[in-house]
C-alpha cells in the first residue's frame, strides 16, 4: 500500500540520519544523498496529518524522526559517552559523569549501542552508572557497588530533603531540581486552597523520608533467562 511505501521511505531517511558520515557500511539506500537535508519540510507536513489510524501512525513516525534529527548525531553522542567511560578512574570520576549527564548527551536511544561497544564488563558497568545518574537526578545517590562477576550494578539512593528554594543549603543543578524545589517550597503553599493543602499533606505522609536509604539494582542480561 501507499502507507507502507511512505513508511519505508521514512525509515530509510531515519537510518541515514543515524549513520556516521565517515562509515563505509551502507545502512540506508539514501545514505549520503545530497538532498537529504531537504526532506525535513516533507516530514513536517506528514507529521501534521491526522484523521485515521494510518495517518496517525505515519505522523507519529515522522515526529519521532524530526526529534531524532534535532538532537546531536547518535554516533557522536555514543562516541562521547564511550570516550568518558574509557577515561574514568580516580578522583574526577563523579565529576566527569555529572558533566556528561548535565550535557544531556547520554540517552536511552544510545544505551544499548554503547553497551555493545564497551570493551568489557567493567566498562559496561560504568555505562550503567552514567545511566543511573541520569535517571535518578531527582534523588541523592550515596553509593555505587559494581559487581563485575554478576554483570550488575547496585546503588543506594535517598529522596532529597525538603528545602526552601531560596535556602543556601539547597543544591539545584538542573531544571528537575528547580521544579522539585518549587513544588515543595512554602511559596506554593501561599496560593494553595484548603483542599489542595489536604491533598499535599496526604502525599507528604506517603513519601519516603530523606534519611531512609533505598537500594536499586541494574543488571546486564544477554538473554531473558539471565534476569532470574
Amino acid at each position: 500500500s501507499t502507507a507502507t511505501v511512505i513508511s519505508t521511505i521514512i525509515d530509510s531517511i531515519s537510518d541515514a540520519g543515524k549513520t556516521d558520515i565517515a562509515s563505509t557500511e551502507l545502512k540506508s539506500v539514501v545514505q549520503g544523498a545530497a538532498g537529504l537535508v531537504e526532506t525535513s519540510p516533507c516530514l513536517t507536513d506528514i507529521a501534521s496529518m491526522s484523521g485515521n489510524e494510518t495517518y496517525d501512525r505515519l505522523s507519529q513516525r515522522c515526529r519521532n524522526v524530526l526529534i531524532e534529527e534535532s538532537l546531536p548525531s547518535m554516533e557522536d553522542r555514543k562516541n562521547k559517552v564511550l570516550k568518558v567511560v574509557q577515561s574514568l578512574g580516580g578522583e574526577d570520576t563523579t565529576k566527569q559523569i555529572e558533566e556528561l549527564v548535565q550535557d544531556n548527551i547520554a540517552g536511552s536511544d544510545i544505551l544499548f549501542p554503547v553497551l555493545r561497544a564497551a570493551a568489557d564488563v567493567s566498562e559496561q558497568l560504568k555505562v550503567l552508572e552514567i545511566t543511573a545518574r541520569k535517571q535518578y537526578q531527582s534523588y541523592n545517590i550515596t553509593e555505587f557497588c559494581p559487581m563485575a562477576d554478576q554483570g550488575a550494578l547496585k546503588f543506594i539512593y535517598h529522596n532529597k530533603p525538603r528545602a526552601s528554594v531560596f535556602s543556601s543549603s539547597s543544591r539545584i543543578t538542573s531544571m528537575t531540581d528547580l521544579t522539585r524545589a518549587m513544588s515543595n517550597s512554602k511559596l506554593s503553599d501561599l496560593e494553595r486552597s484548603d483542599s489542595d493543602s489536604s491533598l499535599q499533606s496526604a502525599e507528604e505522609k506517603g513519601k519516603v523520608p530523606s534519611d531512609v536509604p533505598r537500594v536499586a539494582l541494574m543488571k546486564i542480561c544477554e538473554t531473558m533467562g539471565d534476569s532470574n
Side-chain angles (χ1 to χ4, degrees):
S1 67
T2 303
T4 302
V5 173
I6 294 175
S7 181
T8 302
I9 294 173
I10 295 171
D11 289 341
S12 296
I13 295 171
S14 175
D15 291 339
K18 295 176 183 177
T19 306
D20 186 1
I21 297 177
S23 175
T24 57
E25 182 182 358
L26 186 63
K27 296 184 178 180
S28 169
V29 294
V30 297
Q31 184 175 322
L36 197 59
V37 294
E38 298 174 8
T39 61
S40 293
C42 180
L43 293 176
T44 301
D45 287 342
I46 298 175
S48 64
M49 293 169 58
S50 63
N52 58 45
E53 185 178 343
T54 301
Y55 288 164
D56 291 343
R57 177 165 42 82
L58 290 174
S59 63
Q60 181 61 56
R61 182 71 183 106
C62 279
R63 286 194 292 271
N64 291 340
V65 173
L66 290 169
I67 290 173
E68 290 171 359
E69 290 182 350
S70 69
L71 296 171
S73 161
M74 179 183 288
E75 196 69 24
D76 288 345
R77 289 187 292 126
K78 187 183 82 172
N79 290 335
K80 285 181 180 179
V81 173
L82 282 172
K83 185 177 180 180
V84 170
V85 166
Q86 292 161 359
S87 66
L88 289 179
E91 298 178 355
D92 292 336
T93 296
T94 301
K95 181 181 178 182
Q96 286 178 282
I97 293 177
E98 287 184 349
E99 288 178 351
L100 189 65
V101 170
Q102 293 302 322
D103 287 343
N104 216 23
I105 292 173
S108 58
D109 59 329
I110 63 170
L111 174 59
F112 292 119
V114 172
L115 284 174
R116 285 193 290 268
D120 51 33
V121 175
S122 177
E123 284 193 0
Q124 288 181 325
L125 294 183
K126 290 175 182 176
V127 173
L128 290 187
E129 180 177 343
I130 293 171
T131 302
R133 287 189 183 277
K134 181 174 178 62
Q135 292 182 342
Y136 286 75
Q137 287 184 80
S138 59
Y139 298 89
N140 285 329
I141 300 179
T142 56
E143 182 182 349
F144 279 96
C145 180
M147 298 177 285
D149 57 326
Q150 300 177 41
L153 177 72
K154 181 173 72 174
F155 59 94
I156 298 173
Y157 67 100
H158 301 251
N159 275 334
K160 289 186 176 180
R162 176 170 177 158
S164 168
V165 68
F166 296 116
S167 171
S168 59
S169 62
S170 298
R171 185 168 180 268
I172 298 176
T173 59
S174 66
M175 285 301 297
T176 303
D177 288 344
L178 179 59
T179 302
R180 184 189 182 92
M182 289 298 293
S183 64
N184 285 339
S185 72
K186 292 181 179 179
L187 289 175
S188 60
D189 292 338
L190 296 176
E191 298 181 357
R192 186 177 290 125
S193 66
D194 292 339
S195 59
D196 289 338
S197 297
S198 299
L199 180 59
Q200 178 72 12
S201 298
E203 290 176 348
E204 290 296 328
K205 287 180 181 178
K207 191 174 181 180
V208 178
S210 60
D211 59 348
V212 175
R214 288 188 277 177
V215 179
L217 180 69
M218 303 177 78
K219 181 175 173 61
I220 301 169
C221 301
E222 296 294 338
T223 65
M224 291 301 293
D226 294 341
S227 60
N228 297 327

